[in-house]
Amino acid sequence: MKKLIVILLAVAAVFGMTSCNSSSPSKVVTSYYKALQAGDLEKAMTYTDLTSDEEIQKQIEKFNTFEIKVQNFEVVSETIADDGNSAVVEVKQTVTSAFNSEPKEDTKKLNLVKVDGKWKIHE
Amino acid sequence: MNRVSTFLLLISLIFTGCHKKVTPVEYVLPDTVQLQSGDLAFRTGISKESRAVTTLDRNSIYTHVGMVVWTDDGWRVLHAVPNERASKQEEDSVKLEPIGTFFRSDRAEKGGIYRYPLTPKDTQQLREHALALYARHPLFDNLFDVQDTIAFYCTELVYFLYLQELQIDLSEGRRHNLPLYPDLIFCTDVSRNSKLQEVWSFH
C-alpha cells in the first residue's frame, strides 16, 4: 500500500512538472507553431488570447486567404516581465505565403500575456 | 472517311484551343490625363496576392500602388512588386515601368491615378528621390518590414518616399495585421488618405 502511494505521488509529480513546463511562454509558442505547421489552425488559436468565435474565424481566414504556412521554426529567446504577467518570445521562423514566391526566414517577436494563470499569445 | 475527318477536326480544334494564348495589351492612357511626378498609380491585379487582399479587405478597391515619375524616357511608374521577374534567377526588385506596362491587361483589371496636393517643389523633390532610389536597385521587401530602408514592398515604397521627402504620412497611421507578419500598410491604408484626389480611373 505504501509502495502504491509512493508510485502515485511520483506519477502526480511528473504530471505536475509536465504541466508546469507546458505553460511556460516558450512552450506555448512552440505548441502554437507546431499546430500551425500541422495545419491545425483551430488548435493553434487556443494558444492565443482570442476568445470570441468571430475573432478566431477572422484570424483563421487570414491564414487561409494568404496561404500563410509555417515551414520551420525555432524559439530563440524568452523574456518574462518582472511582474510575471507578460512575456516576449523570439522565434526564428520560415514562412511561405501568397506574398512570397520563396519561403521567407525572419525573426518574429511574439507578445504573451497571462490570462487566468495561463500564458496566451497576444493577437 | 467521314469518321476520320470528324476525328481530325476534333483533334485540331482541341489543339488550337490548348495553344490559344492571349497577348497582354499595354494600356494607353487618354491624352486628357495630365500626370505629375508624385501621383500615385493604383491597380487591382489578377494575381493570387491581389485576390487575397481583396478577399480579406473587402473595402479595398486596389491591391497595388506605385509612384508616377517623369524620366528622360517619358512617364514611368516606380513600384515594388513580387513575382513579376523576367527569369527565376532574378530577384524581385523595385521597377521603373512605362504607365502602359503598369496597367497592362494581364496585370490590371482596374486602375487609377490619384494626386496628393503638392507644390512644384514637392513634386521635384519626390522625383529626384525616386530616381535616386531606383538607381540603387533596391529589392522587394520579402520581410515586409516598414522599418528597414533597403528593401520595399509596394505601399511601403510610396509611404517611404512621401515620409522621407515631405514628412507626409500617406497611411495616416493605418495598419493591417496579418499573423506571423509585422504590421502591414495595405493599399486601402494609403488610398483612404482624405487628401488624395482622383485624376483618372478605369474599371
mmCIF file of all heavy atoms in Angstrom, chain A residues 39-58:
data_model
loop_
_atom_site.group_PDB
_atom_site.id
_atom_site.type_symbol
_atom_site.label_atom_id
_atom_site.label_comp_id
_atom_site.label_asym_id
_atom_site.label_seq_id
_atom_site.Cartn_x
_atom_site.Cartn_y
_atom_site.Cartn_z
ATOM 1 N N GLY A 39 -1.058 22.393 -39.685
ATOM 2 C CA GLY A 39 -2.244 22.902 -40.380
ATOM 3 C C GLY A 39 -3.493 22.884 -39.512
ATOM 4 O O GLY A 39 -4.606 23.054 -40.016
ATOM 5 N N ASP A 40 -3.310 22.685 -38.207
ATOM 6 C CA ASP A 40 -4.450 22.655 -37.289
ATOM 7 C C ASP A 40 -4.664 24.074 -36.726
ATOM 8 O O ASP A 40 -4.229 24.391 -35.616
ATOM 9 C CB ASP A 40 -4.188 21.649 -36.173
ATOM 10 C CG ASP A 40 -5.442 21.341 -35.359
ATOM 11 O OD1 ASP A 40 -6.414 22.123 -35.458
ATOM 12 O OD2 ASP A 40 -5.437 20.340 -34.630
ATOM 13 N N LEU A 41 -5.325 24.903 -37.518
ATOM 14 C CA LEU A 41 -5.467 26.316 -37.150
ATOM 15 C C LEU A 41 -6.357 26.503 -35.926
ATOM 16 O O LEU A 41 -6.101 27.365 -35.089
ATOM 17 C CB LEU A 41 -6.012 27.109 -38.340
ATOM 18 C CG LEU A 41 -5.144 27.101 -39.597
ATOM 19 C CD1 LEU A 41 -5.819 27.878 -40.718
ATOM 20 C CD2 LEU A 41 -3.771 27.678 -39.326
ATOM 21 N N GLU A 42 -7.397 25.670 -35.831
ATOM 22 C CA GLU A 42 -8.318 25.758 -34.675
ATOM 23 C C GLU A 42 -7.520 25.549 -33.384
ATOM 24 O O GLU A 42 -7.684 26.291 -32.416
ATOM 25 C CB GLU A 42 -9.403 24.684 -34.775
ATOM 26 C CG GLU A 42 -10.277 24.784 -36.012
ATOM 27 C CD GLU A 42 -11.523 25.613 -35.780
ATOM 28 O OE1 GLU A 42 -11.737 26.025 -34.632
ATOM 29 O OE2 GLU A 42 -12.271 25.860 -36.757
ATOM 30 N N LYS A 43 -6.658 24.537 -33.402
ATOM 31 C CA LYS A 43 -5.860 24.243 -32.213
ATOM 32 C C LYS A 43 -4.882 25.388 -31.933
ATOM 33 O O LYS A 43 -4.702 25.802 -30.787
ATOM 34 C CB LYS A 43 -5.096 22.927 -32.400
ATOM 35 C CG LYS A 43 -4.414 22.438 -31.139
ATOM 36 C CD LYS A 43 -3.722 21.115 -31.379
ATOM 37 C CE LYS A 43 -2.992 20.670 -30.123
ATOM 38 N NZ LYS A 43 -2.167 19.490 -30.375
ATOM 39 N N ALA A 44 -4.269 25.895 -33.019
ATOM 40 C CA ALA A 44 -3.310 26.993 -32.849
ATOM 41 C C ALA A 44 -3.971 28.184 -32.149
ATOM 42 O O ALA A 44 -3.367 28.825 -31.294
ATOM 43 C CB ALA A 44 -2.755 27.410 -34.209
ATOM 44 N N MET A 45 -5.214 28.439 -32.496
ATOM 45 C CA MET A 45 -5.921 29.592 -31.921
ATOM 46 C C MET A 45 -6.130 29.443 -30.415
ATOM 47 O O MET A 45 -6.282 30.431 -29.715
ATOM 48 C CB MET A 45 -7.273 29.810 -32.616
ATOM 49 C CG MET A 45 -7.175 30.220 -34.078
ATOM 50 S SD MET A 45 -6.153 31.668 -34.346
ATOM 51 C CE MET A 45 -4.764 30.943 -35.198
ATOM 52 N N THR A 46 -6.125 28.204 -29.913
ATOM 53 C CA THR A 46 -6.332 28.000 -28.468
ATOM 54 C C THR A 46 -5.134 28.507 -27.664
ATOM 55 O O THR A 46 -5.233 28.682 -26.457
ATOM 56 C CB THR A 46 -6.579 26.517 -28.119
ATOM 57 O OG1 THR A 46 -5.398 25.760 -28.452
ATOM 58 C CG2 THR A 46 -7.775 25.946 -28.861
ATOM 59 N N TYR A 47 -4.005 28.719 -28.329
ATOM 60 C CA TYR A 47 -2.823 29.249 -27.636
ATOM 61 C C TYR A 47 -2.772 30.770 -27.690
ATOM 62 O O TYR A 47 -1.824 31.367 -27.220
ATOM 63 C CB TYR A 47 -1.544 28.662 -28.248
ATOM 64 C CG TYR A 47 -1.500 27.155 -28.171
ATOM 65 C CD1 TYR A 47 -1.657 26.364 -29.302
ATOM 66 C CD2 TYR A 47 -1.343 26.514 -26.942
ATOM 67 C CE1 TYR A 47 -1.644 24.984 -29.229
ATOM 68 C CE2 TYR A 47 -1.334 25.130 -26.854
ATOM 69 C CZ TYR A 47 -1.489 24.374 -28.007
ATOM 70 O OH TYR A 47 -1.490 23.002 -27.917
ATOM 71 N N THR A 48 -3.779 31.390 -28.309
ATOM 72 C CA THR A 48 -3.820 32.850 -28.392
ATOM 73 C C THR A 48 -4.855 33.395 -27.399
ATOM 74 O O THR A 48 -5.633 32.626 -26.828
ATOM 75 C CB THR A 48 -4.213 33.327 -29.812
ATOM 76 O OG1 THR A 48 -5.605 33.047 -30.025
ATOM 77 C CG2 THR A 48 -3.382 32.633 -30.882
ATOM 78 N N ASP A 49 -4.843 34.706 -27.257
ATOM 79 C CA ASP A 49 -5.822 35.305 -26.336
ATOM 80 C C ASP A 49 -7.124 35.674 -27.056
ATOM 81 O O ASP A 49 -7.951 36.400 -26.505
ATOM 82 C CB ASP A 49 -5.229 36.520 -25.610
ATOM 83 C CG ASP A 49 -4.855 37.647 -26.564
ATOM 84 O OD1 ASP A 49 -4.931 37.451 -27.796
ATOM 85 O OD2 ASP A 49 -4.473 38.735 -26.072
ATOM 86 N N LEU A 50 -7.297 35.177 -28.287
ATOM 87 C CA LEU A 50 -8.568 35.404 -28.975
ATOM 88 C C LEU A 50 -9.640 34.537 -28.326
ATOM 89 O O LEU A 50 -9.408 33.343 -28.101
ATOM 90 C CB LEU A 50 -8.450 35.048 -30.461
ATOM 91 C CG LEU A 50 -7.428 35.843 -31.277
ATOM 92 C CD1 LEU A 50 -7.343 35.312 -32.698
ATOM 93 C CD2 LEU A 50 -7.775 37.324 -31.287
ATOM 94 N N THR A 51 -10.774 35.132 -28.037
ATOM 95 C CA THR A 51 -11.801 34.366 -27.322
ATOM 96 C C THR A 51 -13.111 34.221 -28.105
ATOM 97 O O THR A 51 -13.719 33.157 -28.086
ATOM 98 C CB THR A 51 -12.116 35.015 -25.945
ATOM 99 O OG1 THR A 51 -12.342 36.415 -26.170
ATOM 100 C CG2 THR A 51 -10.976 34.816 -24.963
ATOM 101 N N SER A 52 -13.496 35.279 -28.796
ATOM 102 C CA SER A 52 -14.793 35.170 -29.491
ATOM 103 C C SER A 52 -14.646 34.372 -30.787
ATOM 104 O O SER A 52 -13.591 34.405 -31.441
ATOM 105 C CB SER A 52 -15.353 36.560 -29.804
ATOM 106 O OG SER A 52 -14.698 37.126 -30.905
ATOM 107 N N ASP A 53 -15.702 33.662 -31.147
ATOM 108 C CA ASP A 53 -15.701 32.861 -32.377
ATOM 109 C C ASP A 53 -15.395 33.727 -33.596
ATOM 110 O O ASP A 53 -14.697 33.306 -34.513
ATOM 111 C CB ASP A 53 -17.067 32.181 -32.581
ATOM 112 C CG ASP A 53 -17.209 30.974 -31.683
ATOM 113 O OD1 ASP A 53 -16.187 30.580 -31.072
ATOM 114 O OD2 ASP A 53 -18.332 30.452 -31.569
ATOM 115 N N GLU A 54 -15.942 34.951 -33.576
ATOM 116 C CA GLU A 54 -15.763 35.860 -34.713
ATOM 117 C C GLU A 54 -14.284 36.200 -34.917
ATOM 118 O O GLU A 54 -13.765 36.141 -36.033
ATOM 119 C CB GLU A 54 -16.574 37.131 -34.458
ATOM 120 C CG GLU A 54 -16.767 37.971 -35.702
ATOM 121 C CD GLU A 54 -17.412 39.309 -35.392
ATOM 122 O OE1 GLU A 54 -18.066 39.442 -34.341
ATOM 123 O OE2 GLU A 54 -17.233 40.226 -36.217
ATOM 124 N N GLU A 55 -13.621 36.534 -33.783
ATOM 125 C CA GLU A 55 -12.190 36.877 -33.856
ATOM 126 C C GLU A 55 -11.371 35.691 -34.354
ATOM 127 O O GLU A 55 -10.476 35.838 -35.189
ATOM 128 C CB GLU A 55 -11.675 37.260 -32.464
ATOM 129 C CG GLU A 55 -12.092 38.624 -31.973
ATOM 130 C CD GLU A 55 -11.607 38.864 -30.543
ATOM 131 O OE1 GLU A 55 -11.537 37.892 -29.739
ATOM 132 O OE2 GLU A 55 -11.299 40.015 -30.250
ATOM 133 N N ILE A 56 -11.702 34.514 -33.810
ATOM 134 C CA ILE A 56 -10.955 33.299 -34.169
ATOM 135 C C ILE A 56 -11.136 32.981 -35.650
ATOM 136 O O ILE A 56 -10.172 32.708 -36.365
ATOM 137 C CB ILE A 56 -11.397 32.111 -33.279
ATOM 138 C CG1 ILE A 56 -10.887 32.353 -31.845
ATOM 139 C CG2 ILE A 56 -10.886 30.776 -33.821
ATOM 140 C CD1 ILE A 56 -11.479 31.436 -30.797
ATOM 141 N N GLN A 57 -12.378 33.058 -36.122
ATOM 142 C CA GLN A 57 -12.635 32.754 -37.535
ATOM 143 C C GLN A 57 -11.958 33.766 -38.457
ATOM 144 O O GLN A 57 -11.468 33.409 -39.528
ATOM 145 C CB GLN A 57 -14.154 32.710 -37.820
ATOM 146 C CG GLN A 57 -14.840 31.475 -37.264
ATOM 147 C CD GLN A 57 -14.080 30.168 -37.545
ATOM 148 O OE1 GLN A 57 -13.658 29.913 -38.656
ATOM 149 N NE2 GLN A 57 -13.896 29.347 -36.504
ATOM 150 N N LYS A 58 -11.920 35.021 -38.018
ATOM 151 C CA LYS A 58 -11.283 36.067 -38.821
ATOM 152 C C LYS A 58 -9.775 35.784 -38.952
ATOM 153 O O LYS A 58 -9.201 35.938 -40.034
ATOM 154 C CB LYS A 58 -11.508 37.430 -38.145
ATOM 155 C CG LYS A 58 -11.461 38.571 -39.111
ATOM 156 C CD LYS A 58 -11.859 39.861 -38.445
ATOM 157 C CE LYS A 58 -11.560 41.038 -39.371
ATOM 158 N NZ LYS A 58 -11.765 42.325 -38.735
#
